[in-house]
Amino acid sequence: MKKLLGMALVLALAAPACAEDILKNLKFGGQLDFQANSARNVLDGSTKGGNDRIGTAVPRIIVNAEWDLLDDIHARASFVKNDRAWGDAAGGGAGQLGATGTDQSQRLVGPASGTGFANNVFIQQANIKVDKLAGQMDAVLGRQFYGEPGDLIVFFGPKNTYGLYVTAIDAFRADWANDTLTATVLIGKLIGSSLGAANTADSDLRGLDVGILGLPLKTNAFAWNRVTHSAGILGTDAGKNDYLWVYGLKLRGETENMWVDATLASNSGECRAAIGGCTAGVANANSGNYTGNAFLVDLGGKLDFANLAAVMPWANFGIGSGRGMA
């Protein structure tokens, strides 16, 4: 996919006459983010514990490209570059986060070890969207972002946490709606085996989000299932999978000057120690139960002071309980 997209972009630049046919209605967008952090005592909270300081400045560049393959089939690709801590002297990783060394530069064409600039630009989205598949739903197939930043349960995309990381999921997504309901189905792969490789702890994600229209608050009910496959022998304790179910309700209310988001969630399922250890670290031997509950609320507003400024106060509160949660 990376090579095909690269070839398509080169053809578009080199042959403008045919670019209109290859990349119809091509549009570019994106964002540039910059994060700086400085902290002391990050490991133990004590000035006597040693030199546990951090001081980093990290840029992130995201370039999105969208174009039409056919009238009802659209393509999307997102290129992300954020592996370098600004000013990091890193030879082995040419400035990659956490690397060490003496090389201050990143070359457009890197060495054979793959540490140059061109080898540290990643395609985080590569998908196609089909309008009205089977006349009923819009579908997205391929690597994609999903959800909203800060979501309690599921979000894949650019994160504003320390390091400005970006996540994505390989999935099939379908969106359907009528005058009363909306529904989104996502079926994806979190961890997958190499082609032809022996069993590994593959991890699948499946979810359903249903919205109810016409209520005073925007209301969505959801259910998610993550299955972590065991690499053990089928029919034995070692071959039993890890099942996590998460279900709940999301509410959103909004006025001209205020907004509130609330999420309530519970989980259930069988924990087989594939993710964190449910039975004293004895993987698969005995199952524990996922028994968690969580609540998250965000409240904010906008206060305008004429000819002075606008103030946007906000508050966030969350609480959770349970065991065996991933």
Side-chain angles (χ1 to χ4, degrees), residues 44-217:
D44 53 19
S46 172
T47 57
K48 299 179 181 180
N51 185 7
D52 52 352
R53 301 187 297 258
I54 60 173
T56 59
V58 181
R60 177 177 64 191
I61 301 172
I62 301 177
V63 177
N64 300 312
E66 299 183 7
W67 65 95
D68 297 335
L69 298 176
L70 297 172
D71 290 340
D72 54 357
I73 301 179
H74 319 283
R76 180 189 294 116
S78 294
F79 304 84
V80 178
K81 173 71 169 65
N82 72 325
D83 65 288
R84 177 169 183 157
W86 189 270
D88 182 24
Q96 293 179 358
L97 290 175
T100 59
T102 58
D103 187 357
Q104 292 280 0
S105 66
Q106 286 199 349
R107 295 167 291 279
L108 181 61
V109 179
S113 58
T115 58
F117 179 88
N119 291 295
N120 287 303
V121 175
F122 303 94
I123 298 180
Q124 288 287 13
Q125 287 198 105
N127 60 66
I128 61 171
K129 178 184 177 185
V130 182
D131 297 334
K132 297 304 177 184
L133 181 65
Q136 298 294 322
M137 58 187 178
D138 296 334
V140 180
L141 302 90
R143 191 160 183 83
Q144 58 191 277
F145 298 156
Y146 178 83
E148 300 177 358
D151 195 293
L152 179 63
I153 307 302
V154 175
F155 171 66
F156 296 96
K159 299 177 181 292
N160 294 325
T161 51
Y162 181 62
L164 293 178
Y165 295 106
V166 181
T167 60
I169 184 171
D170 297 302
F172 167 81
R173 172 181 174 175
D175 296 295
W176 171 89
N178 64 13
D179 295 335
T180 305
L181 299 173
T182 65
T184 296
V185 174
L186 184 82
I187 303 172
K189 177 73 74 172
L190 296 172
I191 301 174
S193 302
S194 301
L195 291 176
N199 291 344
T200 61
D202 290 10
S203 184
D204 305 328
L205 181 67
R206 290 162 282 207
L208 172 64
D209 187 297
V210 177
I212 305 174
L213 305 178
L215 297 179
L217 296 177

